[in-house]
């Protein structure tokens, strides 16, 4: 998901240029496909002749411009589906630059082995971004993957051997967010983002509780056999999934990621219409005012209302008046539909007094 504030306006603006560029490339490819690889005498068609045929349809300079437009919009081989919003995110560098050092100085980040590169990069970040130029050799190369590589190392205006500070900062912050969600990185002493292992029993407390816990979970004290069983089950599940992929049209692998087709609505069981009708027939038909009064009686909700002086309401049939007021306000119909001059609890004077 793209960050808050980023929209699809930018790609929509690029669509007319992309459409014209794609049309020119399509013409050139169409000419190339229609050109026979050999003449009637058996001679192979030269590259010069092929270009001559293409340039009759699309001039070479126009074709070069079209390819530049397509290359600008379509991600490269190292790109991914996040490239667009990451590029837009890098333009918001000014909103986070002042908070990076504060984040590092205030929050004491701990980590497990998998999150060590992220915390290392985060702690180095305040020193790196305050330099006038950021050498590419000093960034955490393993974190700069996918579309981040082009944004960090090949951004417009970046000299060879340097890295873009804005893109690299957001690259590190994105990895930090993911590591926090996976609990590979945690905030020491924190509650929601704290160390998930901090509340585990250890030492004498674990020794005394261990027999009871293991018995309740049905586990042995030595985990080797249980872990081997889980590993075997996982291995078998992987092989089962892989074996079923060729015949499963709803599953595909794209850019190393498993892509699943969206599930459509499940078919309604044959007996559902009859069951729905039976349930509807069993429900009593009551007016909303009657339902509100019944709820008030069952829950005693009107007892929660007190006089402005702090005393309990003393008027008779207070529940009826209060429910009428709630009904008029909830349905936004005013007092007229609920006023009944012949019912003391529903007279206009009583209800107006209750509104006050």
């Amino acid at each position: 998901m793209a960050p808050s504030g980023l929209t699809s306006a930018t790609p929509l603006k690029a669509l007319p240029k992309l459409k014209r560029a794609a049309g020119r490339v399509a013409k050139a490819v169409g000419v190339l496909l229609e050109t026979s690889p050999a003449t009637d005498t058996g001679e192979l068609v030269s590259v010069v002749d092929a270009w001559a045929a293409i340039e009759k349809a699309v001039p070479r300079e126009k074709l070069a411009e079209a390819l530049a437009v397509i290359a600008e919009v379509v991600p490269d081989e190292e790109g991914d589906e996040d490239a667009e919003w990451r590029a837009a995110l890098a333009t918001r560098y000014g909103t986070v630059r002042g908070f990076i050092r504060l984040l590092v100085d205030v929050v004491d980040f701990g980590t497990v082995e998998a999150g060590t590169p992220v915390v290392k990069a985060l702690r180095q970040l305040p020193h790196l971004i305050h330099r006038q130029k950021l050498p590419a050799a000093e960034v955490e190369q393993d974190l700069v993957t996918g579309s981040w590589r082009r944004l960090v190392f090949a951004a417009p205006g970046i000299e060879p051997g340097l890295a873009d500070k804005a893109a690299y900062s957001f690259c590190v912050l994105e990895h930090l967010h993911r590591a926090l969600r996976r609990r590979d990185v945690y905030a020491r002493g924190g509650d929601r983002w704290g160390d998930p292992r901090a509340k585990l029993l250890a030492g004498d407390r674990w020794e005394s509780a261990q027999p009871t816990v293991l018995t309740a979970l049905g586990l042995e004290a030595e985990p080797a056999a249980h872990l081997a069983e889980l590993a075997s089950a996982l291995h078998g599940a992987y092989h089962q999934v892989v074996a079923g992929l060729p015949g499963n049209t709803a599953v595909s692998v794209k850019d190393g990621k498993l892509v699943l087709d969206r599930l459509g609505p499940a078919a309604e069981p044959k007996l559902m219409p009859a069951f729905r009708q039976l349930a509807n027939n069993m429900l009593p038909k009551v007016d909303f005012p009657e339902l509100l009064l019944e709820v008030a009686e069952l829950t005693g909700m009107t007892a929660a209302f007190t006089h402005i002086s702090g005393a309990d309401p003393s008027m008779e049939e207070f529940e009826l008046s209060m429910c009428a007021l709630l009904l008029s306000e909830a349905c936004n119909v005013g007092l007229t539909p609920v006023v009944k001059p012949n019912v003391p609890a529903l007279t206009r004077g009583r209800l107006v007094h209750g509104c006050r």
Side-chain angles (χ1 to χ4, degrees), residues 270-284:
K270 295 181 179 180
L271 295 179
M272 181 56 70
F275 176 77
R276 186 182 296 112
Q277 184 63 40
L278 178 63
N280 290 336
N281 293 338
M282 295 173 64
L283 294 175

Side-chain angles (χ1 to χ4, degrees), residues 15-354:
L15 283 179
K17 291 176 60 179
L18 181 61
K19 184 177 180 180
R20 290 193 297 270
R24 291 172 180 172
V25 173
K27 283 184 179 179
V29 174
V31 172
L32 187 61
L33 291 175
E34 293 173 359
T35 302
S36 175
T39 62
D40 295 338
T41 60
E43 296 181 2
L44 295 177
V45 175
S46 66
V47 176
V48 176
D49 294 336
W51 265 113
I54 292 174
E55 288 186 321
K56 289 181 180 179
V58 184
R60 184 177 299 206
E61 60 273 11
K62 295 293 184 182
L63 187 58
E65 293 176 2
L67 290 174
V69 171
I70 294 175
E72 181 181 351
V73 178
V74 178
D76 53 24
E77 293 182 356
E78 291 188 339
D80 48 47
E81 58 188 15
D82 297 326
E84 183 181 313
W85 71 262
R86 283 173 172 171
L89 192 64
T91 64
R92 310 288 180 90
Y93 176 54
T95 62
V96 301
R97 180 175 52 190
F99 297 97
I100 293 176
R101 178 172 292 278
L102 188 64
L103 177 66
V104 175
D105 292 343
V106 173
V107 182
D108 183 13
F109 286 106
T111 176
V112 298
E113 183 179 354
T116 301
V118 178
V119 174
K120 179 182 177 183
L122 180 66
R123 289 173 177 166
Q124 293 175 339
L125 195 57
H127 307 287
L128 296 179
I129 62 177
H130 279 83
R131 296 185 181 183
Q132 186 176 2
K133 294 183 178 180
L134 175 58
E138 296 189 22
V139 306
E140 284 291 330
Q141 303 283 335
D142 293 340
L143 299 184
V144 187
T145 58
S147 55
W148 279 125
R149 296 197 63 82
R150 179 173 58 83
L151 295 172
V152 173
F153 300 127
I158 294 295
E159 301 175 14
L162 298 181
D164 185 84
K165 293 190 291 186
Y168 180 62
S169 298
F170 278 108
C171 174
V172 173
L173 292 176
E174 182 186 347
H175 280 286
L176 174 64
H177 181 248
R178 291 183 177 177
L180 284 169
R181 292 176 63 89
R182 292 195 298 261
R183 297 299 190 269
D184 291 341
V185 174
Y186 54 86
R188 291 190 177 94
D191 184 12
R192 178 177 180 183
W193 302 108
D195 185 359
R197 303 166 300 174
K199 297 182 180 180
L200 295 177
L201 296 178
D204 294 338
R205 297 177 61 189
W206 167 241
E207 292 297 332
S208 61
Q210 182 181 18
T212 304
V213 174
L214 293 178
T215 301
L217 297 177
L219 299 175
E220 299 292 336
E222 292 296 329
H226 182 61
L227 292 177
E229 181 182 348
L230 293 177
S232 176
L234 182 61
H235 183 74
Y238 272 127
H239 278 274
Q240 183 179 1
V241 171
V242 170
L245 285 178
N248 193 339
T249 58
V251 181
S252 60
V253 179
K254 182 178 180 181
D255 297 330
K257 297 180 179 179
L258 195 65
V259 180
L260 303 178
D261 289 348
R262 291 186 177 181
L263 294 176
E268 189 176 78
K270 295 181 179 180
L271 295 179
M272 181 56 70
F275 176 77
R276 186 182 296 112
Q277 184 63 40
L278 178 63
N280 290 336
N281 293 338
M282 295 173 64
L283 294 175
K285 296 181 179 180
V286 296
D287 291 334
F288 182 48
E290 295 178 2
L291 180 61
L292 186 59
L293 286 169
E294 184 176 351
V295 171
E297 182 178 355
L298 291 173
T299 62
M301 67 177 187
T302 54
F305 293 89
T306 57
H307 193 269
I308 192 172
S309 64
D312 293 333
S314 59
M315 62 176 61
E316 296 181 0
E317 296 185 308
F318 172 74
E319 294 82 359
L320 182 58
S321 301
M322 182 53 62
C323 287
L325 287 172
L326 291 174
L327 181 65
S328 66
E329 292 293 330
C331 297
N332 198 25
V333 296
L335 295 178
T336 300
V338 297
V339 167
K340 292 182 184 274
N342 57 334
V343 179
L346 298 177
T347 61
R348 181 173 292 275
R350 166 71 79 86
L351 297 180
V352 170
H353 176 71

